[in-house]
Amino acid sequence: MLKMRILSSYFIGGLAVLSVSALLAGCSTGTSGGGGGVSTDAATKTLRIVDIAALINDSFFITGKCGAQAAAKANNATLEFEGPTGNSATDEIKAFAAAAATNPDAMLLAPFSNTGFSTTVSSLMGKGAPVWATGQTLEPADAYGTTITDYFKAAEPLVQIIGQLSGGAGTVGLIADTTGNTTDSDRYTQLVPALEKAYPKLSVLSPQYAQNSTSTAATIAAGLIQAHPDMKVVYASSGPEAVGVAAAIKAAGVGSKVKLVSFDSSPDQITLLKSGQLAATVGQSPYETSYIGTTQVIKYLRSHAGSTSAVPATATVTSTPTMLLTSGNVNSAAAKTYQYMTSCS
């Protein structure tokens, strides 16, 4: 469904970022390893890969599943998609450990939390089963590789659109997911200082946390709008928060002066975008992120058939692109590749 994009090499946060083309050519050099439980016919056997998502019913992670399934199907592998249905890092850590105990050939992990997975990841990697992180890095960097959104690049168009919508002055509200969720905080930690530098007269409020709840986001947004008459923009860091803020803006009747900008591109956000209730949102590449990870763990297992040596871990990450979606471009072919799915059919 989505075409693979070839990315240039650059650096993010001190981590070397390889191009997708270079990564697909091969991640490992000079170190041998093999899949956990992989027999000597691993070059042709059907491999079993388990993908653990942070929220299995969320369109972002469903889109990632679709990418992983496509890569598995193309490479004689099966994919099992598992994870919690609630916003809980603890539940995801438990789901990952339970899946690892079934001895899959490889695993993908889309973590809400950077930490808490190390013991299980190290055990799998030590037995020759590669683990690939998607959407967020692990600490320590125990995985075979990582694909992640280039949040620094994503902040650039957000700075521009927020500046335009606010006129460079007034107040900007910030409604995020949960404190300590690095996957979420990366969407605004670089944005806020960039906004303050570009627009010194713009006041960006501290994050308010909605816990991935539409109703909580609506309540918070209503309070911010009432407390700050000069509110020009509210930035929501993910889909549920964006939907809640849109409802609050509509209920308060301030849509002409308070604009909504967000991150992610769930079906609900696309509907808001087309109706004019959402000014702009950043679409990520979860399909591509998981397609790359699945392809790489399969490539590793095929090239190390029969070996049970430890898989080499690396802090190297590959970035996947984003696109700022607006009412003006949302129906374009390019924009549609950044819009999340609710099923893989």
Side-chain angles (χ1 to χ4, degrees):
M1 179 175 179
L2 304 184
K3 294 182 179 179
M4 300 297 289
R5 306 173 187 89
I6 303 303
L7 308 179
S8 299
S9 298
Y10 45 89
F11 291 85
I12 298 177
L15 295 179
V17 180
L18 301 179
S19 68
V20 170
S21 57
L23 182 68
L24 292 179
C27 286
S28 175
T29 58
T31 307
S32 63
V38 177
S39 62
T40 55
D41 65 343
T44 58
K45 69 170 284 192
T46 299
L47 300 171
R48 184 171 74 92
I49 301 169
V50 180
D51 182 3
I52 301 296
L55 281 170
I56 59 172
N57 54 1
D58 183 271
S59 61
F60 175 88
F61 298 106
I62 291 171
T63 305
K65 177 188 74 171
C66 296
Q69 282 184 342
K73 183 177 180 180
N75 291 280
N76 190 29
T78 62
L79 184 92
E80 299 169 18
F81 182 66
E82 302 173 8
T85 57
N87 191 33
S88 169
T90 300
D91 287 347
E92 186 183 16
I93 291 169
K94 291 179 180 178
F96 182 75
T102 68
N103 295 315
D105 292 305
M107 292 190 69
L108 264 65
L109 172 64
F112 254 157
S113 170
N114 299 78
T115 60
F117 299 95
S118 181
T119 299
T120 305
V121 171
S122 295
S123 176
L124 285 166
M125 295 276 284
K127 294 186 293 185
V131 177
W132 194 277
T134 63
Q136 190 51 258
T137 56
L138 296 178
E139 296 177 3
D142 293 326
Y144 175 51
T146 304
T147 38
I148 187 172
T149 291
D150 185 344
Y151 292 105
F152 180 79
K153 289 289 185 183
E156 293 175 357
L158 283 173
V159 170
Q160 295 175 6
I161 193 69
I162 292 174
Q164 292 170 8
L165 293 170
S166 65
T171 298
V172 174
L174 172 53
I175 299 182
D177 178 22
T178 54
T179 181
N181 181 347
T182 309
T183 303
D184 184 70
S185 63
D186 279 351
R187 304 174 185 190
Y188 55 85
T189 51
Q190 298 185 76
L191 171 64
V192 172
L195 275 172
E196 293 173 339
K197 180 178 180 181
Y199 305 102
K201 295 182 179 180
L202 203 60
S203 175
V204 183
L205 301 177
S206 298
Q208 301 293 308
Y209 300 103
Q211 308 293 324
N212 210 46
S213 166
T214 294
S215 59
T216 302
T219 300
I220 293 172
L224 291 177
I225 291 168
Q226 185 174 14
H228 301 276
D230 65 340
M231 182 79 68
K232 297 289 186 67
V233 177
V234 178
Y235 172 60
S237 65
S238 67
E241 282 74 22
V243 173
V245 174
I249 291 174
K250 184 177 181 179
V254 295
S256 61
K257 69 172 186 176
V258 180
K259 302 302 180 183
L260 171 61
V261 175
S262 67
F263 211 96
D264 280 328
S265 52
S266 68
D268 286 340
Q269 286 168 283
I270 297 303
T271 298
L272 290 171
L273 193 63
K274 292 180 177 179
S275 69
Q277 293 178 267
L278 176 61
T281 194
V282 173
Q284 301 185 79
S285 305
Y287 185 103
E288 185 172 336
T289 296
S290 294
Y291 188 100
I292 292 169
T294 304
T295 300
Q296 285 307 302
V297 295
I298 292 173
K299 180 181 176 68
Y300 180 87
L301 291 170
R302 298 296 188 205
S303 64
H304 295 78
S307 173
T308 56
S309 297
V311 181
T314 177
T316 302
V317 303
T318 297
S319 66
T320 48
T322 59
M323 180 177 180
L324 185 71
L325 307 180
T326 66
S327 59
N329 67 19
V330 66
N331 292 317
S332 68
K336 288 180 180 179
T337 66
Y338 291 91
Q339 295 173 30
Y340 308 159
M341 301 178 285
T342 56
S343 71
C344 302
S345 57

